[in-house]
Every structure is written in structure tokens, then in C-alpha cells.
């Protein structure tokens, strides 16, 4: 599929898309491509491929993105981070993606390399410090459609919401065409951020990032990765359902699908420009949420 996310967002219907990560093993690759093929049947607006901290999955990101561009009907969006990369290295990555026909990039400053995503962030001596600079670099190289990250609960490194919105608007004014949020679980957090951004005169479309929780262990990992607290009321309900029996696991999974469906339903009613599902390289829960929504709304039909 050719085109850009910018063009899709100019349409009348909300976009819907899926996020994957580059696999590290042969089994992981098989799981990824099973999920991709299953989700391809749903004709998503686009699919994205993440980029590991410090470029740890750079080759995997490029390889998966190239294969999606060349072997599927889906439009790929490649994530790109500034972590541990010189400007020369970033130019090389951008050029490789362009050579594969990739026109859509998500420009992220990125998490620090290592086990702790909340550790100190240090710029490469010949690299970039802010995502806004990466947006400018990409735009200077070619005719790319560039997205950036948005944070409904504010970035964990931002001292307050006002500072976070200022940083987001700076990325948009650097040339960003759209944004995708970090995963969140309360629609009001998204709407509060959207209204703060609009009050600054910024009208860049902000796609909502949603992840169905399918097991209780994911909650602790999400807290570590995002630096955000998981909503206490939801955490209590997941904990109450969790147990060692197969029926307990099934109940947690069903509740996770229900929560994600209700969140998407609310967001669509509020006029969100798109929904971006974080899949963890599995298709089943995401397809269930999509099926729930499609049964109710022509917006995803």
C-alpha cells in the first residue's frame, strides 16, 4: 500500500492501525508474521514497527518494515529514535527506509539503553537531544510523513502538564504531521491533553494508542516501561480476577478486551482521528476488540 498517514487522516473516517516489535528469535518471527497476516485481512490503515532503545533492534526494524512494504498490502510506519545515534547514522537509516519505499516515520527521542527506561537520558556527542530535532532532520532529507509521540498522562520526565504540552507543540511546529499517544486507559486523560494542545493553537491530529491487557503480569511491565501508574481501580479488578486456574486467566483476558473495547468506544464518540492498537505481536485480542467495535459502528466497517 502506498500513501501517507497524513493523507489517511485527512479522510472522513478514523484510521485504525497496529503496532509490532521486531522479533529476536525464529519462533518470535513466526508469531509476528502469523499476526501480521491475520490482521492484514482486516485492511488496517497502517502498521508500525518499533525501534529498540539505543537502536538495539535497528536492523530488525528496518528488515520487518522493508518486508511489510514489499510483501504485504499494508502501509508501514517505521519508528526511529535518536538514542545512541550520530546524525550521520540517522541519515543512513532514513535513507535505507526511503530506498524500501517507506514514506512514513515516527520520530522519537527514545528511551535510554539498558534495563531501566527511566534512567538518565544522555545524547550522543554527534547526535540529537530532542525529538523536534529529529523531525527537522527527517523533513530536511526528503518528502516524508512524520509522526511524533504524545503523552496523555504527560511524559514522566516533564515537570508538569504545561511543560509537556509546550514540548509537544514544539515537535509539531518542527514539522510533525500527526501524533500517536503512549498507551493509556482513561479516555479523560486523552481528552484533557487534546484540549490543552488545541488551546495552544495546534491542530495536529493525535491518534490514540490502546493496548488490550491480556494478563496481569503486563500491568507491572507497563508501569516500568511508561513510568506511569496503572489506574488503581482497574488494577484492583484485574487482581480480583487473576488466579492460577485456566478460567481465571480467561477471565482476565476477557476483562482486558472489554476494557479496551469500552475505551475505544468512548474515544470514537469523542471524535478521535484514529486508534493505534499495541499488539505485542499477537493478533487475537486486538481482533476481538476490533470485531466488537465493527459490530457497533460503521466507522470501522
Amino acid at each position: 500500500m502506498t500513501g501517507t498517514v497524513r493523507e489517511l487522516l485527512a479522510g472522513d473516517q478514523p484510521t485504525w492501525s497496529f503496532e509490532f516489535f521486531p522479533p529476536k528469535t525464529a519462533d518470535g518471527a513466526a508469531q509476528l508474521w502469523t499476526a501480521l497476516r491475520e490482521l492484514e485481512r482486516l485492511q488496517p490503515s497502517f502498521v508500525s514497527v518499533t525501534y529498540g532503545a539505543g537502536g538495539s533492534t535497528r536492523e530488525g526494524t528496518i528488515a520487518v518494515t522493508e518486508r511489510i512494504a514489499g510483501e504485504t498490502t499494508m502501509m508501514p510506519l517505521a519508528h526511529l529514535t535518536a538514542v545512541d545515534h550520530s546524525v550521520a547514522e540517522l541519515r543512513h537509516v532514513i535513507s535505507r527506509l526511503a530506498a524500501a519505499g517507506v514514506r512514513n516515520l515516527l520520530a522519537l527521542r527514545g528511551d535510554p539503553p539498558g534495563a531501566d527506561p527511566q534512567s538518565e537520558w544522555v545524547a550522543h556527542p554527534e547526535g540529537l537531544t530532542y525529538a523536534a530535532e529529529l523531525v527537522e532532520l527527517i523533513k530536511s532529507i526528503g518528502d516524508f510523513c512524520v509522526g511524533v509521540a504524545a503523552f496523555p498522562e504527560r511524559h514522566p520526565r516533564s515537570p508538569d502538564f504545561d511543560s509537556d504540552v509546550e514540548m509537544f507543540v514544539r515537535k509539531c511546529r518542527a514539522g510533525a504531521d500527526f501524533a500517536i499517544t503512549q498507551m493509556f486507559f482513561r479516555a479523560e486523560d486523552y481528552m484533557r491533553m487534546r484540549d490543552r494542545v488545541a488551546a495552544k493553537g495546534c491542530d495536529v491530529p493525535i491518534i490514540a494508542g490502546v493496548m488490550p491487557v491480556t494478563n496481569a503480569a503486563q500491568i507491572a511491565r507497563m508501569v516500568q516501561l511508561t513510568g506511569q501508574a496503572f489506574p488503581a481501580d482497574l488494577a484492583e479488578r484485574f487482581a480480583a480476577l487473576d488466579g492460577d486456574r485456566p478460567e481465571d486467566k480467561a477471565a482476565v483476558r476477557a476483562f482486558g478486551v472489554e476494557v479496551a473495547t469500552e475505551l475505544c468506544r468512548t474515544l470514537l464518540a469523542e471524535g478521535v482521528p484514529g486508534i493505534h492498537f499495541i499488539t505485542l505481536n499477537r493478533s487475537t485480542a486486538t481482533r476481538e476488540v476490533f470485531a466488537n467495535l465493527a459490530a457497533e459502528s460503521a466507522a470501522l466497517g
Side-chain angles (χ1 to χ4, degrees):
M1 182 184 291
T2 59
T4 65
V5 176
R6 176 178 58 237
E7 292 164 352
L8 293 172
L9 289 167
D12 296 331
Q13 299 293 342
T15 63
W16 55 281
S17 49
F18 304 122
E19 178 175 300
F20 302 92
F21 61 85
K24 296 181 179 179
T25 65
D27 287 346
Q31 177 179 298
L32 167 64
W33 283 96
T34 296
L36 277 165
R37 292 301 185 188
E38 288 170 344
L39 292 169
E40 184 176 19
R41 298 182 199 135
L42 301 180
Q43 299 180 307
S45 304
F46 62 91
V47 295
S48 77
V49 184
T50 65
Y51 197 88
S56 58
T57 61
R58 177 173 70 181
E59 289 304 316
T61 300
I62 295 171
V64 172
T65 306
E66 287 174 336
R67 189 172 169 190
I68 291 171
E71 298 182 21
T72 79
T73 60
M74 298 181 288
M75 178 194 299
L77 166 69
H79 295 215
L80 180 63
T81 77
V83 179
D84 275 0
H85 286 336
S86 67
V87 169
E89 288 171 333
L90 289 168
R91 286 182 176 276
H92 173 68
V93 174
I94 295 165
S95 297
R96 278 190 62 184
L97 290 166
V102 177
R103 297 179 59 198
N104 300 282
L105 296 173
L106 191 68
L108 309 165
R109 189 174 77 159
D111 294 327
D116 182 6
Q118 309 309 324
S119 62
E120 183 181 1
W121 200 95
V122 179
H124 186 285
E126 298 171 12
L128 305 174
T129 304
Y130 298 107
E133 297 172 319
L134 183 54
V135 173
E136 291 173 346
L137 175 66
I138 295 168
K139 289 285 189 175
S140 74
I141 291 174
D143 182 23
F144 293 97
C145 175
V146 182
V148 293
F151 299 88
E153 299 174 87
R154 76 176 171 79
H155 193 286
R157 297 175 194 273
S158 293
D160 51 55
F161 282 105
D162 288 341
S163 301
D164 198 61
V165 170
E166 287 291 347
M167 187 64 73
F168 176 76
V169 171
R170 187 184 305 174
K171 292 188 288 190
C172 295
R173 290 181 178 152
D177 297 289
F178 67 97
I180 300 176
T181 73
Q182 184 182 63
M183 71 180 79
F184 62 96
F185 296 89
R186 293 178 294 230
E188 57 266 32
D189 291 333
Y190 173 91
M191 292 181 279
R192 184 189 307 113
M193 176 203 63
R194 178 190 63 185
D195 293 346
R196 287 175 183 269
V197 169
K200 295 290 184 181
C202 180
D203 61 357
V204 168
I206 304 174
I207 296 169
V210 174
M211 190 183 96
V213 174
T214 55
N215 65 74
Q218 287 176 341
I219 296 174
R221 179 59 177 158
M222 282 187 286
V223 170
Q224 180 192 20
L225 286 173
T226 66
Q228 309 287 0
F230 192 79
D233 56 332
L234 285 180
E236 289 172 7
R237 291 192 65 185
F238 275 111
L241 293 170
D242 193 30
D244 296 328
R245 299 176 305 166
E247 53 264 43
D248 297 330
K249 306 301 183 187
V252 167
R253 189 181 175 288
F255 181 59
V257 169
E258 176 189 330
V259 168
T261 300
E262 185 58 35
L263 175 60
C264 292
R265 189 181 290 128
T266 302
L267 292 167
L268 289 167
E270 286 288 334
V272 68
I275 292 175
H276 188 64
F277 291 108
I278 298 159
T279 70
L280 299 183
N281 291 9
R282 298 179 186 275
S283 70
T284 310
T286 305
R287 282 188 287 129
E288 288 178 24
V289 175
F290 178 83
N292 292 342
L293 296 168
E296 303 164 7
S297 171
L300 294 186

